[in-house]
Structure formats: structure tokens, C-alpha cells
Amino acid sequence: MIRWTTTTLENLEPLSSTEGVALLPAADRPLGRGPAIVLGELEQIDPALPYHRVLTFKARFGDPQVVPEDYDYRLPYPTGMTFSVLQGFHGAFSHSGSNEYAVDFDCPVATPVLATRPGIVVASNTSAQGAGTTPHYLDYKRTNFVLVL
């Protein structure tokens, strides 16, 4: 799902809404491109002059109308290993919004990370180094994560 807004229209006339919500169709294969969709239409007022617009959007993976089912999740590391939880549901440092149900484990570097249930990996970052609770670590480029649909 994507929520979008087009603002700062210079030398452009909107031919349709300048904001909206759309469900983007999935690609037919991993790393494939889904079908193109038109979010809105703009027309250049004077073709001899430059134009400018600002497109702002926020997106979430998955169908917003799907209702979650109860599921017994496995731990995200190999059986037999144990680690402390550093931050759980609604953690004060960074578990709000779409991360409100995230769980952070105190695992050493090179601990294998396993899927907690079946699904499709839609985003990941495994290159982050270090740890901390300063705003520096709120940047997703500085955190390791796996997002499963």
C-alpha cells in the first residue's frame, strides 16, 4: 500500500487528484517489477517553460485488509542457543509505529538469523556494525533487520 501526495506544482495543472492511497500489485517473481499504475495525472501548462513538482509517499508491505491470524513464532536463531531480550514490544528507544512489535536480542556478531515463520523476505540489511541507543542508531542503514511479508 502506498499513500502519496503531489505538491509544489509549478507550471503544472492537475488532471486528477493530487493525493491518494493505492494498493500496488505484486511482481510475478522475486526481484521482478510489478505492473505500472498511474497515481495521478499532471499537464504542463506552458511547454516552453520548465516544470516542477514534489511527490511524497509512504509505503507498507502487504495488504492492509488482511487480518492477522494467531501463530506460534519460533525464535530467530538456532535451537539450543539462548540470548537476552534487549528491547521488546513497544520498546521506548525505537519500537513504535511499524516497529512496535519488534524484538531485539543480544546476539553476538555472526549469529545466524533464521526466519520465525514462513513468508517472503521483502527487505533486509545485514551490513550494520555496532550497537547503541543514541539517535545515530535510529537510521535503518545502521540496524540489521529482516522484514518478512
Side-chain angles (χ1 to χ4, degrees):
M1 180 181 78
I2 183 172
R3 179 180 302 279
W4 59 276
T5 304
T6 306
T7 59
T8 316
L9 299 177
E10 296 173 10
N11 194 29
L12 292 169
E13 181 71 32
L15 300 178
S16 62
S17 179
T18 57
E19 62 182 52
V21 175
L23 185 60
L24 302 178
D28 61 352
R29 65 185 183 287
L31 302 178
R33 289 181 179 249
I37 66 163
V38 175
L39 297 177
E41 295 181 86
L42 305 171
E43 181 175 59
Q44 192 171 0
I45 297 168
D46 184 344
L49 298 174
Y51 65 89
H52 177 78
R53 83 280 184 228
V54 174
L55 174 64
T56 306
F57 66 91
K58 291 187 177 186
R60 284 195 166 184
F61 293 103
D63 183 341
Q65 297 184 22
V66 170
V67 177
E69 296 177 9
D70 287 341
Y71 188 87
D72 291 332
Y73 288 83
R74 70 173 317 269
L75 291 170
Y77 45 79
T79 301
M81 300 178 102
T82 59
F83 302 104
S84 299
V85 171
L86 295 173
Q87 184 179 199
F89 294 176
H90 310 289
F93 174 62
S94 63
H95 291 181
S96 60
S98 63
N99 291 326
E100 69 181 311
Y101 295 108
V103 178
D104 296 338
F105 294 93
D106 189 14
C107 302
V109 172
T111 300
V113 175
L114 308 176
T116 59
R117 68 178 291 175
I120 299 169
V121 174
V122 292
S124 68
N125 182 29
T126 61
S127 62
Q129 299 293 314
T133 56
T134 63
H136 176 78
Y137 291 100
L138 292 173
D139 180 349
Y140 282 115
K141 294 175 187 163
R142 303 192 184 284
T143 59
N144 291 321
F145 64 87
V146 178
L147 182 59
V148 179
L149 176 63

